[in-house]
């Protein structure tokens, strides 16, 4: 009896050693898989878009010193003789670009004038529009400011004009901004498309199936009819 009792713990001890060894091997394999995991998993489309936007904004910030001359007569914005237009981005992926955009917007809002704000991160069509105005070969940096249809410059030019008091002369006679935040969009200047409810897809009964909505942008958004109409 004593001998059989002694053999039994030995068997249990042996099996536990085998179990622990296999467990450590499994842990090593799991750690190896986790280390390789970021290279194997495909990122969702939303992160893919952010990655593309990040690379574009970083390329803009790297060429920040290549701004266009304020007095260049060939650059103008059509149908904006009575507007102040600012092309900017609300993305925080590039700190300097984001801070420059925020500073320029704050300067103009301090004058309480109506601004036509065109956020490139909300609507990709603004990017194509800006490229068409400045030219495909021009280096793009943000923000870009047009006053009365004339190109004024970027962040550095606006700061200098504001410090010297010249900017106030540029914006004299432009419409005054309404007080408070827009009730329609909450200050974002965009709302969900009422045709597709923000899905950017519409069901066509005759065509059969879903098609891209022609009333909104790629994000299923349209410009707020309340505050954007004031700027326009």
């Amino acid at each position: 009896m004593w001998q059989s009792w002694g053999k039994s713990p030995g068997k249990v001890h042996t099996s536990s050693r085998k179990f622990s060894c296999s467990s450590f091997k499994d842990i090593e394999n799991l750690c190896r898989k986790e280390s390789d995991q970021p290279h194997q998993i495909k990122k969702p489309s939303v992160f893919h878009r952010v990655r593309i936007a990040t690379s574009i904004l970083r390329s803009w910030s790297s060429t920040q010193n290549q701004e266009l001359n304020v007095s260049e007569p060939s650059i103008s914005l059509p149908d904006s003789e009575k507007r102040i237009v600012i092309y900017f981005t609300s993305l925080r992926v590039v700190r300097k670009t984001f801070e420059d955009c925020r500073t320029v917007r704050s300067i103009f809002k301090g004058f309480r004038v109506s601004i036509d704000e065109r956020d490139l991160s909300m609507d990709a069509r603004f990017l194509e529009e800006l490229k068409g105005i400045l030219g495909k070969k021009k280096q793009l940096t943000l923000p870009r400011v047009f006053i009365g249809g004339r190109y004024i410059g970027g962040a550095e030019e606006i700061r200098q004009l504001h410090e010297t008091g010249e900017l106030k002369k540029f914006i004299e006679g432009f419409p005054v901004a309404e007080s408070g935040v827009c009730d329609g969009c909450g200050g974002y200047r965009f709302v969900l498309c009422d045709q597709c409810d923000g899905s950017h897809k519409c069901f066509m009964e005759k065509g059969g199936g879903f098609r891209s909505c022609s009333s909104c942008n790629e994000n299923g958004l349209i410009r707020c009819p309340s505050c954007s109409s004031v700027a326009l």
Side-chain angles (χ1 to χ4, degrees), residues 76-87 108 113-118 126 129 133 144-152 170-176 189 223 227-232:
S76 60
L77 184 63
D79 303 325
S80 59
E81 290 77 12
K82 298 181 180 180
R83 284 180 286 168
I84 299 174
V85 181
I86 301 178
Y87 290 90
F108 280 95
V113 291
S114 181
I115 308 170
D116 184 1
E117 296 179 301
R118 302 185 181 183
F126 290 149
E129 182 178 283
I133 297 168
R144 296 284 185 168
V145 179
F146 293 82
I147 300 179
R150 178 190 174 191
Y151 176 70
I152 301 302
F170 275 95
I171 63 176
E172 287 181 353
F174 282 89
V176 179
R189 298 298 181 105
R223 300 197 74 181
C227 59
S228 295
S229 60
V230 175
L232 295 173

Side-chain angles (χ1 to χ4, degrees), residues 42-52:
K42 294 183 179 180
K43 297 181 180 180
S45 59
V46 63
F47 293 108
H48 179 65
R49 292 179 183 177
V50 171
R51 182 174 61 83
I52 294 175

